[in-house]
Amino acid sequence: MTALTVQELTGGYAAADHVVKGVSFTVASGELVCVIGPNGAGKSTVLKLLTGLLRPRAGQVALDGRDITGQSPRVVIEAGMVLVPQERNVFGTLSVEENLAMGCFLDPGRAKARMTAVMDRFPLLAERRRQAARTMSGGQRQILAMGQALMSEPRVLLLDEPTAGLSPKAATDLFALVRATAETGVAVLMVEQNALQAMQISDRALVLVDGRNAHEGPAPALARDPAIRRLFLGGRGEGRMDATGTNRETSP
Ligand SMILES: Nc1ncnc2c1ncn2[C@@H]1O[C@H](COP(=O)(O)OP(=O)(O)OP(=O)(O)O)[C@@H](O)[C@H]1O
Ligand SMILES: [Mg+2]
């Protein structure tokens, strides 16, 4: 069943209003879709347009068939879609438990039951329940941020570069948790710079270039496509991409 439907989404910022220029995709319940593309392609902007942090200029966003285009962040969360931003996604001075409780601010009565469910899923959070978030590793904080997002029982989970800055081991562990979260029936849309690894664990991939859909397809197959590898992975599949879609580390 399609959970998230995005049609011709268009928008940007007051200072740069033509960033996202007509992006369309769907994510089904239980499906993991990754969004990859060069720096500045508009990936994070798409996530802001979906969650009410920016108001779209045109296009439609529907959650379980309900139009939520241009709604406030609060309405979007209540409708069942939560974003884990790349930066500042947990409260450093608060404990794991307190951070999780913040994820249930719209329905505090449910916090206790939800916390048990989230800690069952991510045992690390139970072990460290009283630890301040700022004393945790980057990988542990990303797990906490994901746990906090799951406190509201979203049907759609949006992740912006969850593995940025993590060690290869921590990134692999986090990808496994993202995959497991999708398996529970949540529709997951994950923006990633680690393109090859993201495609390997995703069901489908969407490549954004200059604010538009550039390629789309079943993710493991797309990762093997020589054209995609040449264009977006520099033939090696490592490293980040520049604005033309070529790989900085392997380009002359
Ligand atoms: N707050 C802002 N005000 C004005 N322009 C912005 C703002 N944030 C981003 N932009 C511009 O919008 C474009 C797309 O930015 P966005 O952050 O969506 O890219 P991205 O695909 O997420 O890139 P990255 O891979 O670096 O995270 C860029 O040209 C950027 O300079
Ligand atoms: Mg970004």
Side-chain angles (χ1 to χ4, degrees), residues 43-45 86 160-161 191 193:
K43 305 180 296 296
S44 297
T45 307
Q86 185 185 334
D160 197 354
E161 300 202 27
V191 169
Q193 279 290 350

Side-chain angles (χ1 to χ4, degrees), residues 108-130:
R110 299 266 302 134
K112 217 168 162 190
R114 285 303 301 158
M115 204 176 291
T116 305
V118 169
M119 285 181 174
D120 281 350
R121 190 174 305 161
F122 304 141
L124 170 103
L125 300 181
E127 288 158 24
R128 294 171 182 268
R129 59 199 308 151
R130 308 218 190 283

Side-chain angles (χ1 to χ4, degrees), residues 194-245:
N194 190 345
L196 185 63
Q197 219 179 343
M199 282 193 274
Q200 279 162 346
I201 63 143
S202 296
D203 298 304
R204 286 187 296 121
L206 171 67
V207 183
L208 284 193
V209 176
D210 191 24
R212 294 188 178 88
N213 295 48
H215 301 269
E216 200 178 343
L222 207 64
R224 287 191 300 271
D225 184 329
I228 293 290
R229 294 184 75 91
R230 247 192 332 274
L231 250 176
F232 297 98
L233 305 170
R236 267 198 322 144
E238 304 296 336
R240 293 168 76 92
M241 294 166 279
D242 69 17
T244 60

